[in-house]
Amino acid sequence: MTNELRIGLFLLALFSGSIAPAADLPKTRLGFIGLELDGAWSFMEQAATEPEAELVAVADPHDDLIVKPEAALPAGIRFFADHEPMLGEMKPDAVLLTAPNDEHLEIMRACARRHIHVWFQKPMASTLADAIEMDRLARETGITLMVNNWTLWLSDHQALADRARSGDLGAIQRVFAQNGFVEADGFRQRRGGGTLFYRIEKQPARRAGCAVKLQEK
């Protein structure tokens, strides 16, 4: 198995819980960039406790956000205020990234220069142009670029996609999917039923997640 394939499969499996121990392979060295996202801590904990990986460094410019991981994570993990020296000094195989959306392309460039694989918390970028450039960088350098929509790769999703592509389901007029939680009253299925508010703040380019509003017409 090539190193690129090993890391690609690792990044895919890390948050789906499907990694099997592999005693003949060295641990994947991980860096973690960005602590502003609410879910960053849970991702970091999974990386730090994954037996097939070694979390070697964390980077974030905010001193108040570094305090918690410094106190709770295993000894030996280095902490940086900037991702550039972290990538240069620690030389991780891959980085997990929950930094603001409009910083994704900049960090992707820094990783691509060093042939470091990247996992991003969704969304991929703050603009389509940034996303296209990130894809180009990954293809040009041969690194793995992964966005945290891992459920797309589950076997049942793939089987359904194969059936749709084959024409077995006929002409598809509409797709409605629900994943992750059960709605109490099905509000997203009603026009004008309200807003699904995931994360929209004053600077949507930096920290926009998902917002859906079904409008009456």
Side-chain angles (χ1 to χ4, degrees), residues 54-113:
E54 178 186 10
L55 181 61
V56 297
V58 176
D60 190 275
H62 304 92
D63 291 340
D64 57 326
L65 296 180
I66 287 288
V67 172
K68 181 178 180 180
E70 274 188 320
L73 291 177
I77 296 174
R78 294 276 306 278
F79 292 88
F80 294 80
D82 186 272
H83 64 270
E84 283 280 2
M86 185 199 83
L87 297 174
E89 292 180 35
M90 302 307 293
K91 297 177 171 58
D93 298 313
V95 296
L96 309 179
L97 195 145
T98 58
N101 305 330
D102 60 354
E103 296 177 11
H104 287 190
L105 176 56
E106 172 197 346
I107 298 172
M108 177 70 185
R109 285 176 173 144
C111 291
R113 288 197 302 270

Side-chain angles (χ1 to χ4, degrees), residues 139-217:
R139 293 175 186 275
E140 187 176 275
T141 59
I143 65 173
T144 295
L145 165 62
M146 183 169 289
V147 182
N148 184 26
N149 283 305
W150 59 267
T151 53
L152 295 175
W153 305 104
L154 295 177
S155 58
D156 53 350
H157 290 195
Q158 289 296 297
L160 182 60
D162 288 343
R163 290 190 64 189
R165 282 190 290 264
S166 71
D168 183 45
L169 300 179
I172 298 175
Q173 304 298 325
R174 179 186 179 191
V175 175
F176 180 85
Q178 178 175 300
N179 183 48
F181 62 92
V182 177
E183 296 171 354
D185 61 357
F187 74 97
R188 278 184 290 172
Q189 300 180 48
R190 302 196 309 270
R191 281 197 176 279
T195 300
L196 171 61
F197 185 76
Y198 175 63
R199 179 176 279 276
I200 293 292
E201 295 180 356
K202 293 181 180 178
Q203 296 175 291
R206 291 182 60 77
R207 188 63 72 198
C210 173
V212 177
K213 177 71 175 178
L214 299 180
Q215 301 285 354
E216 288 283 4
K217 291 186 178 180

Side-chain angles (χ1 to χ4, degrees), residues 5-19 96 118-119 144 146-154:
L5 179 57
R6 173 174 65 86
I7 293 176
L9 291 175
F10 167 76
L11 291 174
L12 173 62
L14 180 59
F15 300 111
S16 62
S18 61
I19 288 181
L96 309 179
V118 187
W119 175 96
T144 295
M146 183 169 289
V147 182
N148 184 26
N149 283 305
W150 59 267
T151 53
L152 295 175
W153 305 104
L154 295 177

